[in-house]
Amino acid sequence: MQRAEEDAGLAGKVTLISGGGAAGDGIGNGRAAAILLARAGARVLVADRDLRLAERTVEMISAEGGTAAAHGGDVTSEDDCRHLVEAALDRWGRLDLLDNNVGIGSRGNVVDESVEQYRRVMQVNVETMFLLSKHAIPAMIKTAQGGAIVNISSISALRPRGLTTYTTSKAAIIGLTRAMAVDHGRDNIRVNCICPGPMYTPMVYARGMSEQARANRAKASLLKVEGTGWDVGHAVKFLLSNFARYITGQVLVVDGGVTLQAPERESQEH
C-alpha cells in the first residue's frame, strides 16, 4: 500500500513559493507551506525580498533532509518574477506548483488613504500574483504539462470590516483566482485561493501583540483556538496536491469559523 504522502503526488514536484521567509525562526504562511511541501518530497524554491529570510527557511528544510533552494527577489518587479521562474527551471528543469504568498496590510479608508499607499497595496497584494503567474504558467505548460497555483487572500474579502484598500486588494485576489482558473483549465492548471483568518504569524506579532489580544482573537473563532502559519501551510499543501485534483477556481476559508460569528466578536487584522 502506498504511503499517503506518495498518493498526494508531490514527490519530485518543483514548487515556487513567494514570501517564503519569516523573521527569525518564526513560522509564517509561506515558510510553513515550504516546509510541509518539502516533507512531502517536493523540491522548493523559496523566494523572498530578504534573501537571508529565505535562506533560513531552506536551512530548516535541509535539516529535515528536504530539498530546497533560496532566491532573493522583489515580486513587484517583472524582471525579478521572470528570474525566479528561470531559477527554478535552471536548477530542476521544470516548474509544477506556485504559492503566491506575498502581501501587506493597510488600515485606511477611501478618505484617509493616500493614493500612493492605495497603489502600493494593490501592487504588492494583487499585481505580484499577476506577474509571477504570468511567467510561471508558460513554464508549467512547457515543462510539466500543467500544474497548480494557490493565491493567498483574506477573510476580509468575504466579510469586510472597513480597511478599504486592504479589503479591496484581497477581494481582487479572489476574482483573479477564478478568472485564471477559467483561462488555464484547458492547460491542465488548477488555480485556487485561500482566505486565512486571524493567524499568529511573525508579520502579525512583529507589530506587538498582548496576550489579551491573542486571547480575543482565539475567542473570535468558533473553535476558540488561535490559527497559525501551519494551518495555512497545510491548506496550501492540500490544494497543490493530487488530493485536490478536481478542485479549481475555489476559495478555501481557513479561519476556525470566524466568518460565521457576528462581526463585533472579531478583532485584529487578518
Side-chain angles (χ1 to χ4, degrees), residues 21 47 55 70 89 94 123 139 151 166 176 199 218 232 235-236 255 257 268:
E55 289 174 337
L89 297 177
R94 61 186 293 153
Q123 178 190 37
N151 299 323
Y166 176 79
L176 176 69
M199 302 297 174
V232 177
V236 171
D255 74 342
Q268 302 296 324

Side-chain angles (χ1 to χ4, degrees), residues 34-36 38-40 58-67 230:
I35 292 171
L36 292 169
R39 286 176 182 172
V58 170
E59 289 172 1
M60 293 177 169
I61 291 171
S62 299
E64 297 184 355
T67 301
W230 293 115

Side-chain angles (χ1 to χ4, degrees), residues 14-18 45-47 71-75 77-100 128-144 149:
V14 175
T15 308
L16 172 56
I17 297 182
S18 66
L45 185 70
V46 182
H71 202 292
D74 181 350
V75 289
S77 161
E78 183 174 3
D79 284 343
D80 281 14
C81 289
R82 182 187 299 109
H83 294 155
L84 288 173
V85 172
E86 291 173 349
L89 297 177
D90 290 345
R91 180 174 288 270
W92 291 302
R94 61 186 293 153
L95 181 63
D96 302 271
L97 311 170
L98 171 63
D99 177 17
N100 276 315
T128 59
M129 298 186 182
F130 167 84
L131 289 175
L132 203 49
S133 300
K134 180 179 181 64
H135 293 281
I137 287 173
M140 291 178 179
I141 295 170
K142 183 177 180 179
T143 66
I149 298 172

Side-chain angles (χ1 to χ4, degrees), residues 115-131:
V115 173
E116 292 76 18
Q117 176 66 3
Y118 171 84
R119 290 173 177 166
R120 177 63 177 170
V121 172
M122 295 300 291
Q123 178 190 37
V124 174
N125 290 3
V126 186
E127 187 176 309
T128 59
M129 298 186 182
F130 167 84
L131 289 175

Side-chain angles (χ1 to χ4, degrees), residues 8-251:
L10 291 168
K13 294 291 181 68
V14 175
T15 308
L16 172 56
I17 297 182
S18 66
D25 289 338
I27 300 298
N29 299 337
R31 177 171 283 170
I35 292 171
L36 292 169
L37 287 162
R39 286 176 182 172
R43 296 171 286 182
V44 184
L45 185 70
V46 182
D48 201 282
R49 186 174 61 177
D50 188 333
L51 178 59
R52 295 170 300 173
L53 302 185
E55 289 174 337
R56 181 61 188 130
T57 301
V58 170
E59 289 172 1
M60 293 177 169
I61 291 171
S62 299
E64 297 184 355
T67 301
H71 202 292
D74 181 350
V75 289
T76 64
S77 161
E78 183 174 3
D79 284 343
D80 281 14
C81 289
R82 182 187 299 109
H83 294 155
L84 288 173
V85 172
E86 291 173 349
L89 297 177
D90 290 345
R91 180 174 288 270
W92 291 302
R94 61 186 293 153
L95 181 63
D96 302 271
L97 311 170
L98 171 63
D99 177 17
N100 276 315
N101 185 67
V102 170
I104 59 175
S106 178
R107 293 185 173 276
N109 58 43
V110 293
V111 175
D112 299 331
E113 193 82 278
S114 70
V115 173
E116 292 76 18
Q117 176 66 3
Y118 171 84
R119 290 173 177 166
R120 177 63 177 170
V121 172
M122 295 300 291
Q123 178 190 37
V124 174
N125 290 3
V126 186
E127 187 176 309
T128 59
M129 298 186 182
F130 167 84
L131 289 175
L132 203 49
S133 300
K134 180 179 181 64
H135 293 281
I137 287 173
M140 291 178 179
I141 295 170
K142 183 177 180 179
T143 66
Q145 291 78 56
I149 298 172
V150 171
N151 299 323
I152 305 298
S153 178
S154 166
I155 61 171
S156 288
L158 305 176
R159 196 184 71 188
R161 300 162 296 126
L163 311 177
T164 302
T165 301
Y166 176 79
T167 298
T168 299
S169 71
K170 293 301 184 178
I173 292 168
I174 294 177
L176 176 69
T177 297
R178 290 173 170 164
M180 286 171 58
V182 172
D183 285 340
H184 299 289
R186 61 178 175 270
D187 299 317
N188 193 31
I189 294 174
R190 298 183 298 103
V191 188
N192 290 291
C193 177
I194 294 173
C195 286
M199 302 297 174
Y200 189 65
T201 65
M203 181 178 290
V204 172
Y205 60 68
R207 299 193 298 263
M209 180 175 291
S210 68
E211 289 304 310
Q212 183 59 52
R214 292 185 66 185
N216 290 341
R217 285 158 59 93
K219 289 178 183 178
S221 160
L222 291 177
L223 304 176
K224 308 307 178 191
V225 296
E226 183 179 47
T228 73
W230 293 115
D231 297 305
V232 177
H234 280 292
V236 171
K237 176 186 168 185
F238 165 70
L239 288 174
L240 292 179
S241 78
N242 284 349
F243 293 133
R245 60 177 291 274
Y246 204 51
I247 300 173
T248 194
Q250 301 305 306
V251 176

